[in-house]
Amino acid sequence: MKVEKFNKFFGKVGQAQIRNRWKILAGLLIVTVICCLGLSNFSLALGEEGWFGNSDEITINTKKYEETFGNLNGIGVLVVKQGEGDVFSEDMLKVIEKIGNRMHNEIPFADRLTSIVEVDIPVGNDEGFSIVKPYENGIPSDSEGLAKARDLVMRGSEKTNALINSLVSDDGKETWISLSLHPFTGKELEEKYGGDNTEVSTDIGYKLMNIIESEEFQNKGFKLYGGGMPYDSANEDRYEVPEYGVRVLCSIVVMLLFLAICLRNVFGVIVPAVATISAIATVFGAMSFFGEKADSALVTLPVVLGMALAVGYSVHYIKMFKLHFRRTGKRKESAIKCIEECGWPVLFTVLTTMASFISFLFVNMKPLEWMGKTSAFIVLAIYIYVTVLIPILLSFGKDRAPRATQVNGATKLDLSFSRWSKFVHDRKKSFIVISALVIAAFIPGMFKITAQLDYLTITGDKMPYIQEVKKMLAQKLGNQYSYTVMISYDEEGAFKKPENMKALVQLEDYLGTLSLTKWSGGKARITSATSILKEMNRALNEGKDSMYIVPEDEYVLAQLMELSSIEMHNDFSDVMDDDFKTTVVSVDMTQFATEEALANMEALKAKLTELFPGAKCTLLGDMIRYSEMSNRIIFGGLKSFGFSLVIIAIMLVFAFSSLKLGLIGMIPNVAPVILVGGVMGYFNYALDFSTITVMPMVLGIAVDDTIHLTTHLKMKHEQMGSSEKAMEATFREIGATMFLTTVILCSMFSVYLFSPMHFLAVLGVLIIVGLSSALIADYTITPALLHVAKPFGKEKEEV
């Protein structure tokens, strides 16, 4: 398939485009305005809840949990007493009470509050037992009353008191104020939040933030820490979203700066900028019309990518126009000529880049799917706007006399690249050997890559709220991650059977042995129905610590559970359903270490199958989401890269009608991916939701220059019949453009390097490594391989 045929086709397209330029501009303007109206609906999806779709098993299981037990996610405040004393003083108890009251009154979807001021304790008496609230008659002002209430809460040891090192630390210095939430459904959700779960979650987080940061709770005597997914979402919105905006603004400044430096005229700055902003606004507006939310963590990627590619495409068109305008001095003819010679290679680069982003649909995670399809749409929109606006607007103006002093319109820089081509030709075998050795040196690093989804590590210590979270985790009761085990039988009253309750106790013991289970003092941080049953059983047996057990007699157990469900209903309903056939166990974690969490999860699944053979066991919560995210990122990322690799290889073979030429074109584009993988392994840059995008993206963008180079070279070979001369002419005409487009791309992504967010800085490093190594490959190994392989057929003999 001859390139000349493609060029003739695009030449006709260019003639029609210039002939109907006013109609085309008007049509493009109308489409832009209509789509941009959708920007009024633009919004961001925050937090991890949006990572899984409604049909996903994790989402379905979460909804089943919420039908029985309420919202899986709650919020809390960790109160830490500083200096002398503890949280049981009159002043501290009043602070805890005020915070609890404000949380319950001010936070939407508030359900049940739990704190040392609002806790129910079963206590034995002459009539059997009673449920006592230590501060039911208000907070005492006398030392005797305070001491009595404290003793009631802190009675016994942590082994016989479920509250110690769970609700309150054994030294009395720390305590949690926890608020469970109703599921985000109903009239309030629709009327106040438009049915948006993300918006209500963020609003809840902000309201908790306002309470913690309010003036009345700023005291050197204590420190407050917020917790829960809604609180994390609010912090993300407060600190991360503005940071994304700063990166985008910096990218715009870099884009305008480089356009001004490289093209040195007002047109070259304004038109590409207008085309870029219009294309991106059109895509986001159109997607917002259909209710698509942009993922907050990845939203900058398609935007910066779009700006970078717009500049690259614009430079190709403008440089080619200038080349022909210097030769002919005729504007319309030069505009048509730039469409003719740039049309096919630019369209082909657009298709390959889109293919690399469409591959993210294989990852099966909403944010990455969103990023993939959004980037693909933006690439297409950028292509349309640039290829329409640049040639049409360049066609306006006066003709002028050609500049006969320059060699075929070439500048000194162009001639320098032509000489470089000859340098590579004379040392082609050396370049191939050196390139092979460099690639081989980076391959071992690829096998050192690990996955990481701990957002504290991914985001980095430079973000203020991450610093606060780490301070909170350093406390005895500090906690960030947890998960829930839901065990359900079909038979009503299943957990009244001693064998099932015995299995539940064994499960708790096993959970305490898992490496990521958090311990406070000498107790594993595990919450279940057994602690309530033990408390009730002790209260019914004269408060004897020896009776802090789950009874094994079936009749006694059944009666105890019925009694607990009535007298301790609020607490018991959080862990056991009304039919006694479904129960939940909540486990706090020390951290989230991806590989270790995967191992813990697999071991836990095996244990659940062993202990509860007749039940359906479901895992929910942080560890489960992150573990599943890890699996999907690793395997989905491999599928995404594999799909990109195969599709782009097929497209290259098809476009050049040559298996040899297509495979040669892939070699210099796989090499940068290997270098990126090696850098990730050697420098311990883990796979996460952002870095997983780099390899397919680098492959999709890196192939652009290879396509321009190979297409132009094939065309010149068809004209000249000599590979060496064709290569010199190719480098003379597009060598500088390839350099400029890559420099601009790298410069725009370099704004990530200065971000306080760790994953953005890493993203910048990897993209720059990938794109710059791709350019070096196209200047070295690509021409060297083409000289050796001679895929264009016979050479014409020199006359």
Side-chain angles (χ1 to χ4, degrees), residues 223-225 231 463-473:
K223 174 72 176 175
L224 305 180
Y225 297 97
Y231 188 73
M463 297 299 287
Y465 79 93
I466 298 295
Q467 295 170 8
E468 282 296 295
V469 170
K470 290 196 171 183
K471 288 178 183 177
M472 184 263 284
L473 291 176

Side-chain angles (χ1 to χ4, degrees), residues 91-102:
D91 290 341
M92 287 303 304
L93 289 168
K94 287 182 177 179
V95 167
I96 292 168
E97 185 178 46
K98 285 180 182 177
I99 293 172
N101 288 338
R102 287 193 59 181

Side-chain angles (χ1 to χ4, degrees), residues 41-60:
N41 300 322
F42 179 80
S43 62
L44 294 173
L46 300 167
E48 290 85 13
E49 287 187 335
W51 282 73
F52 302 102
N54 290 330
S55 59
D56 198 288
E57 185 179 0
I58 286 180
T59 304
I60 293 170

Side-chain angles (χ1 to χ4, degrees), residues 526-540:
I526 299 168
T527 303
S528 78
T530 63
S531 59
I532 298 174
L533 295 174
K534 290 175 182 179
E535 291 273 8
M536 289 291 291
N537 193 52
R538 179 176 56 185
L540 287 167

Side-chain angles (χ1 to χ4, degrees), residues 41 141 227 263 289 324 339 369 435 481 499 576 616 640 665 707 775:
N41 300 322
S141 57
L263 301 177
F289 266 130
H324 288 287
I339 296 172
E369 290 175 8
S435 298
Y481 298 121
E499 61 267 27
M576 182 76 69
K616 180 181 179 182
S640 173
I707 290 169
L775 178 66

Side-chain angles (χ1 to χ4, degrees), residues 158-395:
E158 64 180 340
K159 292 183 179 180
T160 59
N161 186 338
L163 302 181
I164 297 177
N165 285 330
S166 177
L167 181 64
V168 60
S169 61
D170 52 17
D171 59 5
K173 290 277 191 179
E174 303 172 22
T175 188
W176 274 102
I177 308 170
S178 301
L179 180 68
S180 61
L181 302 169
H182 291 292
F184 300 153
T185 56
K187 188 176 180 181
E188 182 180 3
L189 180 69
E190 294 298 327
E191 292 182 354
K192 191 173 180 181
Y193 300 98
D196 191 332
N197 283 5
T198 302
E199 187 175 336
V200 65
S201 180
T202 306
D203 185 46
I204 287 171
Y206 269 119
K207 282 183 165 45
L208 180 60
M209 198 179 289
N210 291 336
I211 293 170
I212 291 172
E213 296 177 359
S214 61
E215 188 65 34
E216 65 176 319
F217 301 129
Q218 303 310 303
N219 189 302
K220 292 181 180 179
F222 60 89
K223 174 72 176 175
L224 305 180
Y225 297 97
M229 184 175 285
Y231 188 73
D232 295 338
S233 295
N235 270 315
E236 184 180 333
D237 184 66
R238 183 183 191 181
Y239 292 103
E240 295 186 14
V241 172
E243 173 59 21
Y244 300 141
V246 169
R247 295 307 117 193
V248 170
L249 289 175
C250 289
S251 295
I252 293 173
V253 171
V254 171
M255 177 183 74
L256 297 176
L257 181 63
F258 270 86
L259 284 171
I261 293 172
C262 297
L263 301 177
R264 287 174 290 184
N265 62 61
V266 176
F267 178 91
V269 175
I270 294 177
V271 176
V274 170
T276 303
I277 294 169
S278 300
I280 294 172
T282 297
V283 170
F284 278 124
M287 293 180 74
S288 296
F289 266 130
F290 294 96
E292 283 276 356
K293 283 189 175 184
D295 182 77
S296 61
L298 296 173
V299 68
T300 64
L301 205 54
V303 174
V304 175
L305 173 74
M307 291 191 291
L309 290 178
V311 172
Y313 299 158
S314 299
V315 169
H316 276 290
Y317 270 82
I318 293 171
K319 284 283 186 181
M320 190 59 69
F321 170 83
K322 285 185 174 181
L323 178 67
H324 288 287
F325 193 51
R326 286 194 296 266
R327 291 176 181 173
T328 65
K330 298 179 179 179
R331 281 193 173 274
K332 288 186 180 180
E333 183 180 316
S334 298
I336 293 171
K337 202 69 179 171
C338 85
I339 296 172
E340 181 180 321
E341 295 196 14
C342 291
W344 167 239
V346 170
L347 175 60
F348 193 35
T349 62
V350 167
L351 295 177
T352 54
T353 305
M354 288 180 66
S356 71
F357 285 107
I358 289 172
S359 68
F360 285 108
L361 297 179
F362 286 102
V363 181
N364 192 26
M365 292 182 71
K366 287 178 67 179
L368 293 175
E369 290 175 8
W370 174 86
M371 192 278 295
K373 67 183 177 184
T374 303
S375 297
F377 284 137
I378 284 179
V379 170
L380 179 61
I382 289 292
Y383 167 74
I384 293 171
Y385 276 85
V386 167
T387 56
V388 168
L389 291 178
I390 298 290
I392 286 179
L393 295 177
L394 283 170
S395 69

